[in-house]
């Protein structure tokens, strides 16, 4: 438990700082641009999230691969794996940015963005999409550092980027009155600062260890090992965000007030979502290291402690956020309609967020051994067809926005049920009794 907490705390710190980026943008937009600015930013952010989710999944493949090699203490293979990762991610990131820039207008039309905020949303999306390269580089390098047991310095570099984000929001939005363009430019600059700093930290770390100097390279074996976990993880992440894409599209038909309330809800939700992700990531890295070293008993003991620690943390945060819900939504402006809608959504979904914690721990544990297909199928089945079926039923019955978020706990519950069955089957098949 001490090992888990010591390793997870920097993850939690990074999660809160990451929350600072997007939340600060929306706070400044709410107070200095207005309700339409909040709607323009919130109504389009899901598009970039789909792209980022794909690269986050690929970074899971990289960090899992490196963590297993680190558990084996095979530094020569780690050097080659990192070089191959940089080449792979650089090529894919540039291609996706070009694709996003070219299709921005069509995507906004498909999402039913209201005409009154369409131009603002287009400007924000085009500027924000450029930051995908920096965000991807940061996530990949951070994943490699964490796989090697360093979760503190990525948090510090992100802190520098977060402070820059606050300062730039004030300068570009308040002082220079650049509107949503300033909000997008702020994200681009601050994320680039964090990515560059993290890259130099990694180079310094590599030179001080047996890894040595890193050079980008092509390695078919490493690429296949990365993609074996990375592709299912990327597909899983993109399917989840794609289902949210359709949810956002339906919300966009309900008017600017609903769009603004839903955008603010997502930012408040991140205060519980990111810590859950941090616990899941810490568990996955530790499990991968233990699996690489062959200590399966310690691996599963760690999983149990991750589950206990995560459940206590999640339930505590849920209670605090429900109590503080009004004050949290007041951060994003003083529109009472937006605040009232947001408060209702929090009360409906937050009590069930412990289900998402269970899902993250189980998925991360199975992935840590290189088996990514089983959790991918469990998540995709429930987060796409099941979620879209529930969404269709709710929209057909004209369910109001606050109750619409009820589809999240429903699909979390079905996903956890399937994952628990799959986890028991996987554990019995993959490990003999004496190992665990």
């Amino acid at each position: 438990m001490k090992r888990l907490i010591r390793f997870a705390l920097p993850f939690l710190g990074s999660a809160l700082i990451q929350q600072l980026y997007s939340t600060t943008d929306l706070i400044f937009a709410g107070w200095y641009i207005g309700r339409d600015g909040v709607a323009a930013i919130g109504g389009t952010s899901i598009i970039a999230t789909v792209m980022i989710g794909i690269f986050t999944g690929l970074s899971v493949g990289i960090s899992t691969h490196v963590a297993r090699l680190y558990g084996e203490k095979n530094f020569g293979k780690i050097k080659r794996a990192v070089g191959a990762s940089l080449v792979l991610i650089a090529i894919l990131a540039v291609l996706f940015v070009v694709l996003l820039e070219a299709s921005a207008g069509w995507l906004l039309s498909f999402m039913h963005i209201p005409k009154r905020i369409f131009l603002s949303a287009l400007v924000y999306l085009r500027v924000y999409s450029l930051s995908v390269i920096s965000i991807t580089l940061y996530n990949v390098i951070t994943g490699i550092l964490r796989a090697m047991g360093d979760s503190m310095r990525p948090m510090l570099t992100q802190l520098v980027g977060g402070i820059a984000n606050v300062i730039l929001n004030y300068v570009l939005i308040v002082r220079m009155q650049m509107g949503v363009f300033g909000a997008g430019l702020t994200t681009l600059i601050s994320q680039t600062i964090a990515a560059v700093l993290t890259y130099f930290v990694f180079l310094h770390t590599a030179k001080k260890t047996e890894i040595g100097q890193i050079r980008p390279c092509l390695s078919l074996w490493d690429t296949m090992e990365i993609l074996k976990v990375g592709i299912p993880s990327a597909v899983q992440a993109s399917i989840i965000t794609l289902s949210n894409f359709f949810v956002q599209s339906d919300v966009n038909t309900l008017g600017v007030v609903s769009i603004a309330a839903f955008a603010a809800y997502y930012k408040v939700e991140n205060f519980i979502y990111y810590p859950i992700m941090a616990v899941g990531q810490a568990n996955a890295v530790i499990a991968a290291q233990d699996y690489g070293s062959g200590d399966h008993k310690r691996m599963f003991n760690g999983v149990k402690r991750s589950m206990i620690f995560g459940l206590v943390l999640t339930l505590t945060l849920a209670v605090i956020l429900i109590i503080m819900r009004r004050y949290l939504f007041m951060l994003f402006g003083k529109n009472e309609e937006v605040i009232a809608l947001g408060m209702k959504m929090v009360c409906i979904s937050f009590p069930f967020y412990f289900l998402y914690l269970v899902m993250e721990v189980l998925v991360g544990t199975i992935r840590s051994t290189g088996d990514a297909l089983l959790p991918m199928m469990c998540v995709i089945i429930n987060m796409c067809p099941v979620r879209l079926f529930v969404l269709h039923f709710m929209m057909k019955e004209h369910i109001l926005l606050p109750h619409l978020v009820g589809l999240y706990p429903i699909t979390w519950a079905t996903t956890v049920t399937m994952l628990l069955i799959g986890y028991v089957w996987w554990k019995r098949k993959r490990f003999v009794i004496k190992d665990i």
Side-chain angles (χ1 to χ4, degrees), residues 220-232:
L220 181 60
W221 181 79
D222 287 295
T223 301
M224 294 303 294
E225 286 295 309
I226 290 167
L227 294 180
K228 186 170 69 174
V229 175
I231 288 180

Side-chain angles (χ1 to χ4, degrees), residues 135-153:
I135 294 171
T136 300
L137 178 62
Y138 173 83
N139 285 338
V140 169
I141 299 299
T142 296
I144 294 171
L145 286 170
R146 288 170 174 168
M148 297 167 59
D150 183 1
S151 57
M152 178 60 73
R153 285 187 294 177

Side-chain angles (χ1 to χ4, degrees), residues 24-217:
T24 302
D25 291 347
L26 213 62
I27 290 173
F28 275 91
W31 286 97
Y32 297 101
I33 302 176
R35 185 181 64 189
D36 286 3
V38 174
I41 294 173
T44 61
S45 59
I46 190 65
I47 298 174
T49 303
V50 172
M51 299 297 175
I52 294 170
I54 293 173
F55 288 102
T56 300
L58 290 174
S59 69
V60 169
I62 294 170
S63 60
T64 300
H65 180 47
V66 173
R68 289 202 304 268
L69 294 176
Y70 190 76
E72 298 170 3
K73 301 302 179 184
N74 197 326
F75 295 103
K77 287 186 177 180
I78 290 176
K79 180 178 181 177
R80 190 181 65 188
V82 172
S85 301
L86 293 176
V87 173
L88 176 65
I89 292 298
I91 294 173
L92 292 177
V94 172
L95 289 175
F96 270 92
V97 169
V98 172
L99 176 64
L100 189 55
E101 289 285 346
S103 60
W106 177 83
L107 287 171
L108 293 181
S109 297
F110 181 78
M111 290 187 66
H112 308 111
I113 295 293
K115 291 183 179 180
R116 62 184 288 181
I117 63 170
F118 189 91
L119 183 58
S120 296
L122 182 62
V123 169
Y124 178 78
L125 180 59
R126 289 195 183 280
V127 178
Y128 182 89
S129 64
L130 297 174
S131 66
V132 169
I133 296 176
S134 297
I135 294 171
T136 300
L137 178 62
Y138 173 83
N139 285 338
V140 169
I141 299 299
T142 296
I144 294 171
L145 286 170
R146 288 170 174 168
M148 297 167 59
D150 183 1
S151 57
M152 178 60 73
R153 285 187 294 177
M155 182 193 74
L156 296 178
T157 57
Q158 196 174 55
L159 178 61
V160 174
I163 294 171
N165 185 66
V166 174
I167 296 172
L168 287 168
N169 264 301
Y170 175 75
V171 172
L172 299 181
I173 295 179
V174 180
R175 304 300 298 178
M176 300 180 67
Q177 298 183 357
M178 296 176 67
V180 293
F181 175 79
L185 189 60
T186 292
T187 301
L188 173 60
I189 296 173
S190 57
Q191 292 282 11
T192 301
I193 291 172
V196 171
L197 287 175
T198 306
Y199 182 68
F200 281 114
V201 166
F202 172 71
L203 291 180
H204 177 71
T205 300
K207 289 179 180 179
K208 290 178 65 177
T209 64
E210 292 90 333
I211 298 174
Q213 187 175 359
I214 300 296
R215 290 186 177 88
C217 64

